[in-house]
Every structure is written in C-alpha cells, then in structure tokens.
Amino acid sequence: MSESAAPFVTLVEVSPRDGLQNEPRILAAAVKVGLVDRLSAAGFRAIEVTSFVSPKAVPQMADAAEVMAAIHRVPGVRYSVLTPNLRGFEAAVAARADAICVFGSASETFSQRNINCSIAESLERFRPVVAAARARGIAVRGTVSCALGCPYEGEIAPAVVARVAGELLAMGCDELSIADTIGIGTPDATRRVMEAVLAVTDVARLNGHFHDTYGRALANIDACLDLGLRSFDASAAGLGGCPFAPGATGNVATELVLERLAARGFTTGIDLAAVREAGRWIRERLAD
Ligand code: HMG
Ligand code: MG
C-alpha cells in the first residue's frame, strides 16, 4: 500500500498504562486521570488507560477502577485496558472499557514471569475472555510480547511470533500488537517479524509497540511504515517499562513519533504541542 493511499496513522497513547506501570512511586488516581484527560484533549483516538491485573504483580495499577470511573470520556476516543483473565475482563466491563487487551508472549520464560503461565496456558486463559468481549461488542487487542527478543531467552524466532499471533487472531482478536518489549529490535529484524506475521493477518489489523532502549524505535517504526502498518503505540515523554522485563527502558516517545510521521507526510489528528505539555506535566508529577 503506498503512503499516499493511506496517509492517516493511528497512535495509541499508552503512557497512562505502560508509561506508569513501572514507576516505583505510586501516583494518586487523580494524577492518572489528569494525564488521561490531557491526552483526550490532545486528540488521541485511542488511549490505553490502565490494567485490571493483580495489584501484587503491578501495584501502580491497583486503582484501575477508580481511574476509569473518573476520566472525562471524549466521544470517539477508545479507552482500553489490559485484562489477563476473566476476572480482569469482568472488572473492565464494570468500568465501561471500550476495548480490552489480552497480552501474550512469544517467550515461554517471559510468559511465566509476566502472567505466571506457559504460552499455551495463556492462550487457553485468553480464549473465554476474547469470546466474552466479542459477545458484548467490546474490541479486543491481542499482544505478542518479546517479539524481537526476550530478556531471559534472547533471540525469538519470527515463526513463533507468527504462531502466537495466528492463535490470537483465530480466537477472535480484532487487532494484533507486536511488541518489542525490551527495545532490542533492529529495522531488519522488525521487518522479518512483521513479514512473518503478515503471512497470518492483514496489515490493517497490525499494530507496532516499540520500546526505545537502544534508540532504534523510530527506525523500527519506519520499517513498519514501509510495510504498510498504520497503527503504533507510543508514550508521552517516553515514559515506560515493564516490571517483568529487566533492562527495558521507556516506550518510544509520542512526541518523536509525531515529528517523524509529520516529516514523512502522515497525519494523526494529534496536537503535538498538547502532547509535549501533557508529557511535561506528568514528568513534573513524577518528580514532585
Ligand atoms: P496468578 O498468581 O497465576 O493468578 O497470577 P491467581 O489467579 O493465582 O491470582 C493471584 C492473585 O492475584 C490473587 O490474589 C488473585 O485474587 C489476584 P491473592 O489471593 O494472592 O490476594 N488476581 C487479580 N486481582 C485483580 N485483577 C485480576 C486478578 N487476577 C488474579 N484480574 C496474573 C496471574 C495474570 C493475575 C498475574 O500474574 C498478573 O496480574 N500479572 C500482571 C502482569 C502485568 O500486568 N504485566 C505488565 C503488563 S504486560 C506489558 O507491559 C507488555 C506490553 O506493554 C507489551 C510489551 O511491551 O511487550 C503490553
Ligand atoms: Mg510495553
């Protein structure tokens, strides 16, 4: 697909969830709400707000219901949450989430550390969650973590990523997010993985999620754009990390992605100045 045929790129703003989940200091729910509201006002059409996970696993997300109840919902914005199991899904429904995310992995060890089960077990756990979401008309994203490498296992074969992606798709996920959890990917490796996944799905369903540990996230996004991907996750001020992925630094900064997309002639409907302001604001709250 040529760039001129599809000049719009969807940016999913993940700073309230992936950006904050690894911050050691627990922020007040009101601060998280303030961040989400600033992002809604900046023009994002999709915001990943929080996670309905075990508060022992991720203490920062323990206030998920409180945050979801207090955000100002702008019509047309998709407010999504992470749901590892049916319990999380039920909480997401009660919180009126527009979309959920089941998060799997292409690495057995990361799967165990992150959600305490094997890849096969995780897929069995996701199946009823995805079915329940579809029955309620709630959009479902399936994430494949460690798609470009694992902090415990090292290299991950693109064929494994494609297999997990294919299973998530087959159980009914609307969208697949292919994640470089530790920011280890290069443009060539990114291309290989995305090409493998494109063998099992349409490019319109693919999202790229890049952490920027080695400063290569923008180059990896460029490689994805060249393949026709038009949806990426990004995090204001480059906040981010995963408690179960040692060494991984922040997500790719939304501000940088917006600059790159504009330079390449893509539109997003997002106000860069407002994102910069939101990023500054949340950085100040984290430093308070
Ligand atoms: P488990 O220990 O196997 O599950 O954990 P369990 O059913 O035995 O429950 C353990 C405890 O969690 C129990 O509490 C449950 O009640 C509670 P206790 O009796 O010990 O007091 N619990 C829950 N509480 C709230 N909401 C729930 C829930 N489920 C159980 N939904 C489990 C399995 C999945 C629950 C756990 O491992 C967990 O919550 N993991 C969360 C992991 C996580 O959030 N990781 C970060 C997000 S993934 C990521 O960042 C990657 C991504 O950005 C993409 C990328 O970059 O790769 C998406
Ligand atoms: Mg992540």
Side-chain angles (χ1 to χ4, degrees):
M1 193 191 291
S2 75
E3 291 185 6
S4 57
F8 190 87
V9 166
T10 298
L11 279 197
V12 180
E13 176 57 42
V14 299
S15 58
R17 196 281 306 170
D18 210 3
L20 297 183
Q21 72 178 8
N22 204 28
E23 288 292 334
R25 224 188 88 214
I26 305 294
L27 294 177
V31 172
K32 297 168 188 173
V33 172
L35 174 61
V36 173
D37 288 353
R38 279 168 174 76
L39 297 169
S40 294
F44 289 95
R45 286 285 156 268
I47 301 174
E48 199 173 78
V49 178
T50 186
S51 309
F52 287 98
V53 297
S54 159
K56 282 185 190 148
V58 189
Q60 188 68 260
M61 298 288 115
D63 57 4
E66 196 182 343
V67 172
M68 284 296 282
I71 56 174
H72 172 70
R73 295 184 193 227
V74 172
V77 180
R78 194 182 80 172
Y79 296 96
S80 66
V81 301
L82 266 57
T83 54
N85 51 21
L86 270 175
R87 173 159 169 202
F89 173 72
E90 279 151 20
V93 170
R96 297 190 300 116
D98 301 307
I100 60 150
C101 169
V102 291
F103 46 106
S105 173
S107 153
E108 285 293 351
T109 313
F110 184 76
S111 181
Q112 291 289 352
R113 302 281 176 108
N114 195 38
I115 53 175
N116 200 27
C117 62
S118 69
I119 296 173
E121 285 163 347
S122 76
L123 294 171
E124 286 319 305
R125 200 179 281 176
F126 298 155
R127 208 175 295 284
V129 175
V130 175
R134 289 186 69 86
R136 286 180 172 268
I138 295 174
V140 190
R141 161 187 280 199
T143 290
V144 186
S145 285
C146 296
L148 283 135
C150 169
Y152 308 103
E153 293 185 12
E155 267 184 47
I156 297 290
V160 177
V161 180
R163 182 179 62 72
V164 176
E167 297 223 28
L168 289 168
L169 211 59
M171 73 174 76
C173 289
D174 305 290
E175 179 189 52
L176 286 174
S177 181
I178 304 302
D180 185 4
T181 312
I182 54 171
I184 194 89
T186 61
D188 278 347
T190 300
R191 207 171 294 114
R192 278 194 297 277
V193 165
M194 293 300 177
E195 279 170 352
V197 177
L198 282 169
V200 301
T201 190
D202 194 276
V203 74
R205 287 178 183 234
L206 261 194
N207 163 279
H209 175 110
F210 293 98
H211 286 255
D212 204 20
T213 316
Y214 301 101
R216 289 196 294 260
L218 280 181
N220 296 341
I221 287 175
D222 271 333
C224 292
L225 286 166
D226 294 342
L227 287 172
L229 272 78
R230 296 294 181 264
S231 173
F232 299 95
D233 290 356
S235 177
L239 292 176
C242 176
F244 309 99
T249 59
N251 292 71
V252 66
T254 310
E255 295 88 330
L256 297 183
V257 179
L258 285 171
E259 283 173 3
R260 176 64 61 96
L261 289 172
R264 287 193 58 164
F266 291 99
T267 60
T268 59
I270 295 160
D271 177 350
L272 174 56
V275 179
R276 285 204 179 108
E277 187 44 41
R280 230 186 333 263
W281 183 85
I282 190 64
R283 281 264 183 227
E284 281 171 14
R285 303 286 84 70
L286 286 166
D288 274 349

